[in-house]
């Protein structure tokens, strides 16, 4: 589970900002808290903010870090132009509206807990890269449940690489083969170094879905569930979507050669109103909300069954608020979420501020001032010198601007 995620000089975030998944000392909905050793962690974080405030950049920051960990090994020694294709750098990684920041390093750090030797260890991993995509620093630390301090596994900076936590053989291999664009973690995992593999596998369990628009949203909303062509999977998906749409009665695998490249390799079956049989419809003809829920099936199922992180930009897009509430409840309930899976999502839907489900420390706001985005938790926010009470009308107060992070509206000029 994520304990803390920090990033600096990334897109609209100039200064260091941190998403803290540790539970605050507040009293509401204590049954949602996941206890790992002496840690009390939250399963949910939701991010609100005005359009163009930068809340999607929280999503992109964690997605970017994950991509670097999983792919940097493949692009060592390549040109900046080549790496742009895979990382979507496009000169927009660093904060753009400050000459110094635009030339400075971008930094990422994540502290998380995962199983190692059948115990819950804490890992602290991070790196920084410069505008030319060169790794300037990198580190990996770990702490056992019985230890009070972190043990250094490796540390890297522009002057030196210290690999005290690795065997001499592996240390020599890394020194011999490491390239300036490649993360030690990525290379070490390829070399089958156990600790590197464990950390990389944790990053693999982060599911990223972007519904905020453009090609990313199109891909996410038309993402076929795993093994959708199998009858058992189709039955499970039918049970899943019947919670909100019982008009689909089944699926039929598409055998038409012309449709073999369809995003969804099945048609949906519907009963006719005159009882004359069933009618087939391509899933392209189903509602956008139905297609989105089908695309969410595998990621939700995977993280709830195995643990992990589901990261979603614009979870509410094309979905009814009550349907989104059902998704949130799956993560908030320890019966349906026995492995401490976490849901991090951006939204504009203020309904969830007042639906008696989210804790104050699970609600985050992103506000932009003078082009700089800032991230803060409702649990830490003060209005008129006082913390926000748990019985406050959160939805009403947010829309009234008491918590910030709303658009500064002016009359439209449509001349």
């Amino acid at each position: 589970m994520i304990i803390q995620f920090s990033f600096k000089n990334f897109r609209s975030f100039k200064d260091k900002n941190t998403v803290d998944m540790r539970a605050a000392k507040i009293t509401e909905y204590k049954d949602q808290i996941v206890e790992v050793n002496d840690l009390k962690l939250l399963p949910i974080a939701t991010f609100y903010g005005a359009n163009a405030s930068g809340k999607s950049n929280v999503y992109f920051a964690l997605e970017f870090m994950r991509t670097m960990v999983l792919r940097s090994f493949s692009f060592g020694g390549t040109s900046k132009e080549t790496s742009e294709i895979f990382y979507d750098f496009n000169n927009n990684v660093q904060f753009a509206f400050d000459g110094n920041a635009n030339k400075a390093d971008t930094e990422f750090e994540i502290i998380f807990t995962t199983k190692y030797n059948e115990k819950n260890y804490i890992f602290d991993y991070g790196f920084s890269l410069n505008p030319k995509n060169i790794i300037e620093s990198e580190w990996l630390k770990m702490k056992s449940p019985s230890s009070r301090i972190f043990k250094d596994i490796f540390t890297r900076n522009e002057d030196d690489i210290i690999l005290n936590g690795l065997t001499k053989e592996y240390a020599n291999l890394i020194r011999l083969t490491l390239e300036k664009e490649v993360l030690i973690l990525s290379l070490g995992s390829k070399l089958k170094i156990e600790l590197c593999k464990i950390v990389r596998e944790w990053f693999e369990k982060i599911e990223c879905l972007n519904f905020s628009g453009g090609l990313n949203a199109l891909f996410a909303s038309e993402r076929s569930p795993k093994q959708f062509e199998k009858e058992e999977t189709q039955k499970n998906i039918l049970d899943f979507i019947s919670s909100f749409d019982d008009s689909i009665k089944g699926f039929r695998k598409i055998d038409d050669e012309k449709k073999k490249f369809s995003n969804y390799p099945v048609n949906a079956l519907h009963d006719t109103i005159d009882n004359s049989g069933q009618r087939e419809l391509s899933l392209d003809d189903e509602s956008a909300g139905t297609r989105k829920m089908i695309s969410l099936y595998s990621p939700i199922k995977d993280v709830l069954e195995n643990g992990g992180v589901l990261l979603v930009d614009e979870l509410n897009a094309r979905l009814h608020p009550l349907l989104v509430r059902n998704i949130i409840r799956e993560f908030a309930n320890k019966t349906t979420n026995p492995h401490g899976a976490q849901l991090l999502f951006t939204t504009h839907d203020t309904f969830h501020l007042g639906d008696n489900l989210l804790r104050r420390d699970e609600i985050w706001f992103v506000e932009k001032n003078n082009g700089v985005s800032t991230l803060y938790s409702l649990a830490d926010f003060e209005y008129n010198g006082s913390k926000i009470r748990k019985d406050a009308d959160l939805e009403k107060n947010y829309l009234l601007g008491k918590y910030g992070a709303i658009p500064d509206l002016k009359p439209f000029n449509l001349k």
Side-chain angles (χ1 to χ4, degrees):
M1 296 183 71
I2 296 174
I3 300 171
Q4 288 182 311
F5 170 56
S6 302
F7 52 98
K8 179 182 179 181
N9 195 27
F10 180 80
R11 293 197 173 192
S12 61
F13 289 89
K14 179 177 179 290
D15 304 311
K16 182 177 179 179
N17 283 259
T18 299
V19 179
D20 195 335
M21 300 299 291
R22 295 175 300 175
K25 293 182 179 179
I26 56 179
T27 58
E28 68 261 36
Y29 315 129
K30 287 184 176 180
D31 56 339
Q32 294 185 23
I33 295 174
V34 180
E35 297 192 22
V36 181
N37 298 337
D38 60 344
L39 292 168
K40 295 183 177 181
L41 302 176
L42 300 169
I44 299 163
T46 178
F47 302 91
Y48 286 90
N51 293 101
S53 64
K55 64 183 181 299
S56 291
N57 289 338
V58 180
Y59 167 95
F60 287 124
L62 184 52
E63 182 193 46
F64 185 95
M65 188 179 193
R66 176 185 184 273
T67 300
M68 285 292 296
V69 168
L70 300 186
R71 298 187 184 182
S72 76
F73 174 80
S74 302
F75 310 115
T78 61
S79 67
K80 178 172 183 258
E81 289 73 21
T82 303
S83 60
E84 281 178 356
I85 297 173
F86 298 97
Y87 299 154
D88 192 25
F89 281 170
N90 296 323
N91 298 317
N92 289 325
V93 174
Q94 290 77 25
F95 181 78
F97 306 116
D98 182 296
N100 293 325
N102 195 233
K103 298 174 183 176
D105 295 345
T106 296
E107 302 173 11
F108 303 90
E109 180 181 18
I110 195 159
I111 303 172
F112 64 93
T113 179
T114 192
K115 288 285 187 182
Y116 173 57
N117 289 337
E118 303 302 320
K119 297 179 181 179
N120 291 303
Y121 276 67
I122 296 175
F123 290 86
D124 180 345
Y125 174 69
F127 62 86
S128 66
L129 70 164
N130 68 23
K132 294 183 179 180
N133 309 330
I134 305 302
I135 306 300
E136 295 288 352
S137 67
E138 184 183 6
W139 65 92
L140 176 63
K141 306 174 185 180
M142 64 180 289
K143 185 166 74 73
S144 70
S146 60
S147 177
R148 298 180 63 182
I149 61 173
F150 280 92
K151 173 186 175 182
D152 289 332
I153 307 303
F154 60 75
T155 304
R156 170 190 193 178
N157 55 49
E158 56 185 346
D159 299 318
D160 198 11
I161 299 176
I162 301 172
L163 305 166
N164 291 339
L166 305 181
T167 65
K168 185 176 180 180
E169 179 185 4
Y170 280 132
N172 288 337
L173 274 173
I174 286 176
R175 291 184 186 279
L176 182 65
T177 57
L178 185 66
E179 296 186 84
K180 58 187 179 181
E181 302 91 353
V182 176
L183 295 171
I184 293 175
L185 182 64
S186 183
L187 174 59
S189 180
K190 287 290 184 180
L191 294 174
K192 302 188 185 304
I193 298 173
E194 185 179 19
L195 288 176
C196 293
K197 286 179 61 181
I198 287 171
V199 175
R200 187 182 189 278
E201 287 168 0
W202 182 84
F203 275 95
E204 285 181 330
K205 293 169 73 174
I206 300 176
E207 294 272 1
C208 300
L209 293 173
N210 179 1
F211 296 102
S212 62
L215 291 176
N216 286 333
L218 179 64
F219 172 77
S221 62
E222 296 187 354
R223 175 175 171 176
S224 295
K226 297 174 183 177
Q227 300 178 325
F228 198 5
E229 68 279 2
K230 293 190 175 182
E231 289 186 9
E232 181 181 0
T233 303
Q234 292 175 26
K235 180 182 181 301
N236 291 338
I237 293 174
L238 191 62
D239 291 340
F240 173 66
I241 64 174
S242 67
S243 64
F244 65 93
D245 180 3
D246 61 0
S247 66
I248 298 178
K249 303 303 181 183
F251 300 101
R252 186 185 71 81
K253 184 178 177 181
I254 298 172
D255 297 319
D256 189 338
E257 184 70 16
K258 295 179 181 179
K259 296 184 178 181
K260 69 178 182 179
F261 297 113
S262 171
N263 291 312
Y264 295 107
V266 300
N267 283 342
L269 304 178
H270 293 260
D271 289 340
T272 56
I273 61 174
D274 60 357
N275 297 319
S276 60
Q278 289 186 320
R279 171 76 185 275
E280 288 190 22
L281 287 179
S282 166
L283 286 184
D284 291 334
D285 295 324
E286 297 291 343
S287 75
T290 296
R291 295 200 306 272
K292 179 174 178 178
M293 285 300 292
I294 291 174
S295 72
L296 281 168
Y297 168 78
S298 290
I300 292 175
K301 178 176 182 291
D302 286 348
V303 297
L304 289 177
E305 288 186 351
N306 305 304
V309 179
L310 178 57
L311 180 65
V312 188
D313 195 21
E314 300 289 6
L315 177 61
N316 62 297
R318 302 182 181 88
L319 298 181
H320 192 280
L322 291 177
L323 184 52
V324 176
R325 176 182 165 83
N326 260 7
I327 295 173
I328 297 171
R329 288 177 62 186
E330 293 293 301
F331 286 83
N333 188 330
K334 290 180 182 177
T335 301
T336 53
N337 184 14
H339 303 294
Q342 291 173 305
L343 172 66
L344 282 69
F345 67 98
T346 70
T347 183
H348 286 290
D349 196 339
T350 61
F351 168 78
H352 307 298
L353 295 174
D355 65 356
N356 299 316
L357 185 61
L358 295 172
R359 292 165 49 96
R360 282 167 289 168
D361 50 5
E362 293 176 324
I363 298 169
W364 292 79
F365 297 115
V366 180
E367 186 165 46
K368 182 185 284 186
N369 289 307
N370 297 322
V372 179
S373 296
T374 304
L375 178 67
Y376 53 94
S377 166
L378 181 61
D380 299 326
F381 187 79
E382 292 187 359
Y383 181 72
N384 288 339
S386 300
K387 293 287 185 71
I388 307 304
R389 294 167 54 94
K390 67 178 182 180
D391 58 352
D393 189 335
L394 302 183
E395 181 179 18
K396 177 182 177 182
N397 289 343
Y398 171 62
L399 292 176
L400 288 173
K402 292 184 178 181
Y403 308 147
I406 61 170
D408 182 16
L409 296 177
K410 300 176 179 64
F412 288 122
N413 184 350
L414 301 177
K415 293 181 182 178

